[in-house]
Amino acid sequence: MKKRILIAAGAIGVFLGLFGSWVTYEGLHRTSDDKFCIVCHEMAPMVSAYHTDPHGGQGESGFKASCVSCHMPHDNVFNYIYTKAKNGVVEGAIHFFGDVDAIDWHANRKNRDKFVYDDGCISCHSNYKTNAFISPKGQQMHTHYDALLGTDKQIGCASCHVEVGHMGLRTVLNYYKPEYEYYEGKFDAEKEAVEKGLIEAFKKGE
Amino acid sequence: MSGGKTLAIAGVFLVLGVMSLIGGESDSPLKPIVITPELKEEFPLKSHHAKLSFECTFCHVGQGDDPKEFTYIGDEGCLSCHQSKEHMAERLAFMDKLHVNPHNSIHDGPTLYCDECHNEHKPSTNMCTECHEHDIDLWMRPTP
């Protein structure tokens, strides 16, 4: 009798474990792309610029990195889930209760080292030091990057690759929020085109 | 060992020694440049480049190891990192709408020399101000 109970408990345990893993995996997977993230995150210009970038599916291979590929830490699964949950709550609160117009996107770009995670970049670009397509100067800079790792001068991929993943980001941001008054009201048509493009892209499931 | 043989062996070593000295001189690695506070003051870097902890020879490629002897690296030097003038113009594409993109100006297109406006070790000067002295602040920030 005891044996039966043990086996039943074990089977239920295995089932719950597998089910829990599956739910977690599906949950994380389905909440990782631009179509989901943009529901709460204020990032229409970022997503628009992403759609014109190789990382947004415009490369020769058509490969598309998801938002979390670059904007979540990949060092361990707990940190990943914690960061994702924290961002979800914070961004959701800003979206529903905060002052969205007060967000200074141009200033935030200066913090790109903080929200672009190198381990995400390197998980795909693992050959960043040996890739023969990288120019000699690029290779020299990557060696420099490596030399600074772990020091107080450490830099990140986004330190140099300023618009990586979002081609023409500064331009699209200006369509939404001009850096200078001089441009105010001059980009209405461009902004409208961006919004329309996003709706179409999401309709097509891009 | 006879005196002649000793002399011959000594001669061979002497020749080899001299050869290694000559060879050593031509292939000697450059001395690493220690960036002292004085050097920093004399040749300050732009903040965005300083943040990346660049070494002098990253830009001054093949110019030896004496910073006082270094010369302008030319457009080619700048573009070894910054890709191309067209690429730099593209990054400011929104400014094209009002024809004020300094990297793609209505006067010169993307053809200006980098150092017409940008300097590394002294404040930059914006060439546009030569004519647009009064209105340039409206559409452009100080030249980095």
Side-chain angles (χ1 to χ4, degrees):
Chain A
M1 185 64 184
K2 257 189 182 174
K3 207 174 167 186
R4 272 192 190 171
I5 293 172
L6 271 177
I7 290 172
I12 291 169
V14 168
F15 173 76
L16 285 178
L18 285 174
F19 184 73
S21 304
W22 175 71
V23 168
T24 310
Y25 171 79
E26 282 293 323
L28 290 177
H29 184 68
R30 287 167 188 238
T31 58
S32 295
D33 64 4
D34 50 321
K35 202 173 178 178
F36 179 83
C37 298
I38 202 170
V39 173
C40 293
H41 292 244
E42 299 308 323
M43 56 178 209
M46 293 71 152
V47 173
S48 171
Y50 156 80
H51 281 166
T52 63
D53 191 89
H55 291 82
Q58 299 304 315
E60 276 178 35
S61 68
F63 171 78
K64 201 173 165 184
S66 57
C67 304
V68 297
S69 307
C70 311
H71 295 297
M72 282 290 142
H74 295 259
D75 51 351
N76 74 61
V77 70
F78 297 108
N79 195 19
Y80 181 94
I81 293 173
Y82 167 74
T83 310
K84 198 165 193 300
K86 189 186 75 180
N87 281 5
V89 171
V90 171
E91 298 290 337
I94 293 172
H95 178 75
F96 291 109
F97 310 112
D99 184 3
V100 172
D101 290 333
I103 302 172
D104 189 344
W105 284 323
H106 296 290
N108 286 350
R109 286 190 58 219
K110 293 197 177 83
N111 300 320
R112 58 188 179 273
D113 281 352
K114 307 276 185 305
F115 51 77
V116 177
Y117 291 85
D118 289 11
D119 46 16
C121 307
I122 292 168
S123 67
C124 284
H125 299 281
S126 54
N127 59 350
Y128 70 98
K129 279 186 292 184
T130 54
N131 188 343
F133 289 105
I134 297 173
S135 69
K137 178 57 78 182
Q139 287 176 357
Q140 183 190 26
M141 289 302 115
H142 287 170
T143 305
H144 178 58
Y145 162 84
D146 263 16
L148 297 178
L149 284 177
T151 70
D152 58 353
K153 292 176 179 170
Q154 184 165 324
I155 55 177
C157 301
S159 300
C160 296
H161 300 282
V162 290
E163 290 192 336
V164 66
H166 305 267
M167 194 178 277
L169 179 58
R170 185 171 167 190
T171 284
V172 187
L173 284 176
N174 267 278
Y175 293 164
Y176 277 72
K177 288 189 177 186
E179 291 173 46
Y180 287 90
E181 246 177 74
Y182 182 69
Y183 303 101
E184 290 284 356
K186 305 288 197 305
F187 296 128
D188 292 347
E190 284 78 4
K191 185 182 168 189
E192 206 176 300
V194 165
E195 299 268 299
K196 215 171 148 191
L198 276 177
I199 292 168
E200 274 168 22
F202 287 140
K203 260 191 204 160
K204 272 196 284 180
E206 272 176 16
Chain B
M1 200 182 276
S2 71
K5 252 187 183 172
T6 313
L7 207 64
I9 290 169
V12 167
F13 272 100
L14 189 71
V15 169
L16 285 176
V18 170
M19 277 170 69
S20 76
L21 266 180
I22 294 168
E25 240 170 42
S26 60
D27 292 331
S28 67
L30 296 173
K31 280 192 302 233
I33 299 164
V34 180
I35 302 175
T36 58
E38 294 77 38
L39 208 55
K40 255 187 189 170
E41 199 176 328
E42 195 173 351
F43 303 108
L45 291 186
K46 297 288 169 204
S47 61
H48 48 277
H49 287 154
K51 206 175 153 192
L52 299 170
S53 302
F54 280 173
E55 292 169 22
C56 307
T57 51
F58 286 177
C59 294
H60 296 281
V61 178
Q63 295 187 10
D65 51 21
D66 181 1
K68 295 191 191 309
E69 297 294 320
F70 288 161
T71 55
Y72 175 52
I73 63 171
D75 287 357
E76 203 185 323
C78 302
L79 297 176
S80 68
C81 281
H82 291 285
Q83 300 187 38
S84 67
K85 293 179 185 181
E86 288 76 14
H87 172 75
M88 298 310 286
E90 193 56 37
R91 274 177 48 184
L92 297 174
F94 67 97
M95 299 171 104
D96 283 326
K97 176 81 190 265
L98 302 181
H99 310 294
V100 292
N101 186 342
H103 289 159
N104 187 27
S105 87
I106 52 172
H107 309 294
D108 305 288
T111 61
L112 294 172
Y113 294 118
C114 304
D115 71 340
E116 303 263 24
C117 299
H118 299 281
N119 296 310
E120 182 65 30
H121 303 297
K122 61 179 184 182
S124 294
T125 51
N126 194 329
M127 200 179 82
C128 303
T129 54
E130 285 176 15
C131 301
H132 300 279
E133 192 185 353
H134 300 296
D135 51 2
I136 190 170
D137 290 344
L138 285 174
W139 34 273
M140 213 186 289
R141 65 172 65 146
T143 304

